[in-house]
Each structure stands twice: as structure tokens, then as C-alpha cells.
Amino acid sequence: MVFSAFERMMAWRYLRARRAEGFISLITAFSLSGIALGVAALIVITSVMNGVKTEMLHHFIGWSGHINVYSQNNALDNYETLITQTKSVTGVTSVVPAIEGQVMASANGRALGAQVMALRYDDLINKQHIVEKITAGSVDAFKAGDGIIIGERLADNLGVRIGDPVTLISPEGRQTIAGLVPRLKAYPVVATFKLGMNAFDASMILMPFAEAQLYFKLADGGHDRATSLEVNIDKPDAARMVARQVADALGQGYRVYDWQESNKSVFEALTIQRNVMFIILTLIIIVAAFNIISSLIMLVKDKGRDVAILRTMGATRGMITRIFFACGALIGIMGTCIGVVVGLILAVNVDNIRIWIEHISGGRILAEQLYFLSTLPAEIDLMQVLAIVLMSLALSFLATIYPARRAAHLDPAEALRYE
């Protein structure tokens, strides 16, 4: 729809506040504010949801790889052969043997459940996601083979520092004449890490691969075994397809999981939350659109004499329609533009705003003990922002159609009766 200079001028004059039209202008301001608020809220929420999803995906994949291979029995006896077979699959970039196990970590009279992940030193060095998050100690000490790296929050909960011993207790002990005796051994803490996710920082322990084989009895009888293989690929989004190819290459007797399947419940929950929040916040824009309808109807009633004069001077119904359509369109466009600017500013600074609110209120908005993350990330998707803008403009434009058509169908005699 193309507007002439006269139509734009009339629309702008009708929207400008005058003392006699204060109530109409107030409703118009509410409509504009509602659209701006809805657009800004949608941009912030979708950006935060995107950031949380990306951050969690980065942590999960950085810790355990894109694809994991397990034996249907207890352990992988021939993991070197399996590594060779897995590397032959197109798209696979690296395959790392790992040992996983549940233990009880004890120190200073405190005991907490923990998850052990054992890697070879060279493989650990290649996990930059972990190495870059070392907060104390050194990964080089891990090379000696007799120390462990633990999460920073786990270290705090156990009250240990670098060099302090932590006793690991495995429920899979050894059978004696006195019964089953839990297996336990003390290891010095050589480093601590903080990934920013409480699920890892409060429960994960990194152990040298060879030491884990001894601790979990995976080197008995001269065997060299692992409990899983971590497979990394060049295209994470193709993990499901590559996982099927890996399963075909290895044959029967193995369980193959991709990152999407392993963390399905977490990411499905995030998707549902994002969709629900999108629907709820869209209602704000819809309510604002209804306010546009009411404000334009009142504007048509208030400008009845003007409509009659314009029609008498030769203005067509199309011109009247475009004038009042332009009024609603201006409200929608201005509200959307303001919302986009405010939303982008808030999204970029959302974590700083969280810190400021926590400082002012003295409370915690994002408690690490309750949520996966210790920070509030945001990732702005320009395509999502564009979709929000188009939706806001579409609702605003649709809201103007009925009042504009109503104004256009007033004849001069009828219009004068509104005065």
C-alpha cells in the first residue's frame, strides 16, 4: 500500500496529542508501549533460550563427545580395534577411549557421590573446553598418573585444595571371608575446573586412564579395557546419521548413542519452554493490537467532521482508508522499532542486568545449585528477530483494517452525526 504525502501528513496530525484528545492519545500510547514491550520481551526470551541451549550443548559435547559407544557387556575388551573401525566411518574426526564409573568421594569427614571420567593425558589436552576452565593447579600434573582433577564446587563441598587427598570409594569392592569390602584409594587433587554448570562442577572427577583401569579392575589378567568410546564428528547436527553408520561398522554387541539421544529430555524441555514463553509473550502483542483497534475506532468517531469535510472536498474512500490505516501502521511500526532496540540492548546485557539486580536485591536469581548454569547467556538469532518483527507488524496492520474500512464507509451526512 502506497501512501501519498497528504495521507501521511493527515495520519501524523491525527496521531499527535491535543488536550481535547488526551484520552485517545493515552490509549494510543498504551498500544505503542504494549507492542514495544511484547517485541522486546520476545527478543530477550528467545535470545536467552538460544544461549542456554547453545551453552548446555557446548558443555555436554565438550565433556563426552558427539557420539558414545558402549558394550552390551561390562567393558570394551578390544577398544583399539573398535577405534580403528570407528575412524573408518565418514565424518568421524577423532575417537577417544574413556572409563566412566560411580564413586563416593570422601575428605575431611565429608562424603559425596561423584562421577569419574578417566582419559589419557594426550586426549585430555585436546579437550580445550575443559583445559581452558582450569581454575587452580595444572593439567601437567595429571601426566604423572596418580592425581585427579575435580570440579571446583565439589572441591569446596569437600573442603579440599590443591595437593589435598580425596578418598574414592567404589561400591564394587572385593569379596573376602568377611564379606564384600568396598574398594577405596586416596588420590591427591592436582587441579580444579569450573565449567559453569553445577551438574559438572559439583560431581565430576577426572582420573588418569591407566590408574582408572587399575581402580575399576579393567586391567586384570593382562586385559586393556575401557568402558566407552567418545566419538567426535565434523558436523554435530549429523550425529544421528553418523551414529547409525558407526553401529553398522561395529556390528552386534554394542550400544551407540548420539548427543541428541543422550540429552533428549533436557533439550526437549528447553524447546517446550521456549515455545510456551513465545506463545505467552505473543499475547502481549495481541492485546496491544486490540488496543490499536479501540483507539482507531475512537479516533474515527472523534474525527467524524474531518472525514465529512475530506469527502466533501473530493477525498475518495481509498484515501480515507489509507489515512486511518497509516495511523495504525505508524503505531505498529514505532512500537516494533522501539521494542527491537530495547530488546537487543537487554539481550546483549542480560547477564550484567542479572548481576546488578542480584546486587541491589541481595538475593540470587540464578542459583547454581538449582540450575545447570551459573551465568545467563544470550544468543541473538537474527532470523528469529526478523520473524518477531514481521509477526508484530502483521498483527498491527491487521488491527487497522476494520477501523480504516469503517472510516472509509462513512458518508458526509453520517460522519457529521458523530459530532
Side-chain angles (χ1 to χ4, degrees):
M1 184 178 293
V2 179
F3 302 96
S4 66
F6 172 75
E7 292 165 355
R8 293 195 299 270
M9 179 195 70
M10 293 301 298
W12 179 246
R13 287 187 60 183
Y14 286 167
L15 284 179
R16 284 188 300 180
R18 291 193 311 181
R19 183 169 301 178
E21 302 164 357
F23 184 67
I24 297 175
S25 300
L26 182 62
I27 296 178
T28 302
F30 281 138
S31 303
L32 190 148
S33 300
I35 292 173
L37 178 62
V39 170
L42 277 173
I43 291 175
V44 173
I45 291 299
T46 54
S47 298
V48 170
M49 289 293 184
N50 291 338
V52 170
K53 183 177 180 179
T54 301
E55 191 73 10
M56 293 178 66
L57 177 61
H58 181 61
H59 286 308
F60 284 134
I61 292 179
W63 184 270
S64 60
H66 300 108
I67 300 171
N68 296 101
V69 178
Y70 299 91
S71 172
Q72 291 184 352
N73 300 317
N74 293 328
L76 302 172
D77 293 318
N78 54 340
Y79 71 83
E80 290 291 353
T81 302
L82 297 177
I83 290 176
T84 302
Q85 293 175 338
T86 304
K87 285 184 176 180
S88 66
V89 176
T90 302
V92 173
T93 57
S94 66
V95 184
V96 175
I99 296 175
E100 302 174 13
Q102 299 284 340
V103 298
M104 182 74 73
S106 176
N108 300 318
R110 309 172 190 175
L112 297 170
Q115 173 78 25
V116 170
M117 171 70 75
L119 299 168
R120 297 177 298 195
Y121 174 76
D122 292 338
D123 295 329
L124 176 61
I125 291 299
N126 291 328
K127 283 182 172 287
Q128 293 300 314
H129 172 68
I130 298 176
V131 174
E132 292 174 354
K133 298 300 178 69
I134 297 295
T135 57
S138 173
V139 179
D140 294 336
F142 191 79
K143 193 173 184 179
D146 59 352
I148 58 175
I149 302 174
I150 68 176
E152 185 179 86
R153 183 164 291 276
L154 178 60
D156 293 339
N157 293 337
L158 293 175
V160 297
R161 297 180 179 179
I162 302 301
D164 294 343
V166 173
T167 301
L168 302 185
I169 306 170
S170 173
E172 299 177 0
R174 65 181 186 277
Q175 192 69 38
T176 67
I177 58 175
L180 185 65
V181 178
R183 184 166 58 253
L184 56 89
K185 185 174 181 180
Y187 296 93
V189 177
V190 298
T192 60
F193 61 84
K194 184 178 181 180
L195 300 183
M197 291 185 66
N198 190 63
F200 292 104
D201 297 338
S203 62
M204 301 304 295
I205 298 175
L206 289 169
M207 179 184 290
F209 187 82
E211 181 59 33
Q213 286 182 314
L214 296 174
Y215 181 82
F216 291 105
K217 293 187 175 181
L218 296 175
D220 294 347
H223 294 287
D224 184 18
R225 293 176 287 184
T227 60
S228 66
L229 297 180
E230 295 180 7
V231 182
N232 293 301
I233 60 178
D234 54 359
K235 297 179 180 179
D237 292 337
R240 186 156 297 178
M241 180 184 66
V242 177
R244 288 195 294 267
Q245 295 175 355
V246 170
D248 294 338
L250 297 180
Q252 299 294 324
Y254 303 98
R255 294 175 287 119
V256 181
Y257 301 100
D258 61 87
W259 66 266
Q260 294 170 317
E261 184 178 2
S262 300
N263 306 290
K264 183 178 180 180
S265 59
V266 175
F267 291 108
E268 281 186 349
L270 285 175
T271 301
I272 292 173
Q273 289 178 2
R274 184 179 63 181
N275 293 339
V276 170
M277 292 301 297
F278 188 90
I279 293 173
I280 293 174
L281 294 174
T282 300
L283 294 177
I284 298 177
I285 301 178
I286 294 176
V287 171
F290 277 106
N291 285 337
I292 291 177
I293 296 175
S294 62
S295 64
L296 287 183
I297 289 176
M298 296 183 67
L299 183 63
V300 171
K301 180 178 179 180
D302 185 73
K303 299 299 181 181
R305 178 179 290 275
D306 290 9
V307 172
I309 294 173
L310 289 174
R311 291 298 306 278
T312 303
M313 293 175 63
T316 63
R317 288 184 175 180
M319 291 180 63
I320 301 299
T321 300
R322 287 191 291 272
I323 288 172
F324 285 93
F325 186 89
C327 291
L330 282 172
I331 297 173
I333 292 172
M334 289 189 294
T336 301
C337 291
I338 294 172
V340 169
V341 173
V342 173
L344 292 176
I345 293 174
L346 292 178
V348 171
N349 299 282
V350 64
D351 196 52
N352 293 330
I353 295 173
R354 175 192 66 85
I355 295 172
W356 178 75
I357 293 175
E358 288 181 347
H359 177 73
I360 296 298
S361 64
R364 296 295 303 275
I365 296 177
L366 196 67
E368 295 182 29
Q369 297 85 348
L370 300 178
Y371 302 98
F372 282 105
L373 303 173
S374 58
T375 60
L376 196 59
E379 180 179 313
I380 298 173
D381 188 333
L382 294 181
M383 293 305 297
Q384 287 183 346
V385 173
L386 179 61
I388 292 170
V389 169
L390 294 178
M391 180 193 67
S392 174
L393 293 177
L395 290 173
S396 301
F397 294 165
L398 288 174
T400 64
I401 293 177
Y402 172 72
R405 289 176 61 86
R406 180 174 176 177
H409 284 80
L410 290 176
D411 57 38
E414 184 181 357
L416 289 173
R417 286 200 292 268
Y418 279 95
E419 289 298 322

